Amino acid sequence: MVKMFDNYRISRTKKFHLFPILSFALIVCIISFSDSLISNLSSSHSVVFVSKTNSQQPLKSTFVHKPLFYKKEEINEISYIFKEEEEEQEQEDDHVNLVAPYNLTEEERISWFRKKLPEFSILKSTRLSSQFNDRVNNFLITRSCSVQFFMTWISPSSSFGKREFFALETLFKAHPKGCLIILSQTLDTPRGVKILRPLIQLGYKVLAVTPELSFLFNNTPVESWFDDLKNGKKDPGEIPLAQNLSNLIRLAVLYKYGGVYLDTDFIILKDFSRLRNSIGAQSIGANGKWTRLNNAVLIFDKEHPLLYKFMEEFAFSFNGNKWGQNGPYLVSRVVEKLMISTNRDEFNFTVLPPIAFYPVDWIRISGFFMKFNSRNQSRWIEAKLLQLSGETYGVHLWNRQSNSMKIEEGSIIGRLISDHCLLCKDIYSF
């Protein structure tokens, strides 16, 4: 849901004569109030598939790193390449335009998509997006990154709220020397800089970058698929195209650079630096074997063959009408096929149990937001917090189900954020 400010209209029925000094004071008050309003927005064991390489070994780094903090001139350097305000608004609207109308036939939807293509700015190559690779490399080369993190944000910047910001706080609390790159056209703006500024001013290494999709998908199995999409030859489906592009971008960016991909609805509890070439199981069966994997966390070296397989499957089986088809179901399908493959040893990765990243299923996530008053329920909360502190790297909040839930004081989520945040502002106010 896009958050929007109400526009206040002031009707004037009478004309008053005001002294100049009173007018000046009124203007100062209004400006101060507006600035204040805007600034306030802002299984206990691993289930191993194939693992010649220990999943606890440090992630490989492809870059040489140097400084620790942003310099003022670097922030200015970022700012000078931003687009004009009207173009920024087009980017905000782009998210809405990426959703096809319902109840259309495939032929009608493709026709609609062809007409709308000029409005989809994320598919275009621009002056800003053309600098993507240089900006990413420069950011990583000039910083000493204990871990390279990537996120995507294709929604409007106005919908990047407190919960998403808490995810960033907990990431840097666990990884003070980590680097985070957010692939986002809407956050790579003056408004996005303002959102991220509290972390930047504290010296944390975070950068929003407009992605160049043609570069990311070049020389990968999805290159032809993307060309067909841009030329209006693919049915985008009824599922928001932004969601499926996010599923694909995370695979491509890890394939090009290596590191950790994270969804923005995670509370991070523990250092990831010893994890390598790992994917998390969302659920397991009675026999202890995983029944579904999830792509909300992916940890892989650069050019890992499993990422290549994921992209092959995306291009081969893309269906924009089935939720999860090109995301969590995709990674589950590929790994399941590899389990019976004769060359599975070549892929060298580990499947971690649900407790690692998905300690609560989306059906039960509401219980993590609630405070319970009975003694038994309170004991359950304490026992769960103790378990999470020992075995869990991060808690997926399943934002699609929980984004309207209030965090109650004393709840599991409330306690986790309180213990792992940096600025810790207004935890219970949304």
Side-chain angles (χ1 to χ4, degrees), residues 238-281:
E238 293 183 349
I239 302 296
L241 183 57
Q243 179 178 315
N244 284 318
L245 285 175
S246 176
N247 286 327
L248 183 55
I249 289 170
R250 69 190 67 184
L251 302 176
V253 75
L254 289 187
Y255 188 75
K256 295 281 186 179
Y257 300 100
V260 179
Y261 169 81
L262 276 176
D263 274 358
T264 55
D265 55 346
F266 263 91
I267 301 300
I268 305 303
L269 310 182
K270 193 187 296 186
D271 186 358
F272 281 48
S273 61
R274 294 184 63 82
L275 293 176
R276 183 174 168 197
N277 299 326
S278 302
I279 188 169

Side-chain angles (χ1 to χ4, degrees), residues 116 145 269 351:
K116 285 286 186 178
C145 305
L269 310 182
V351 174

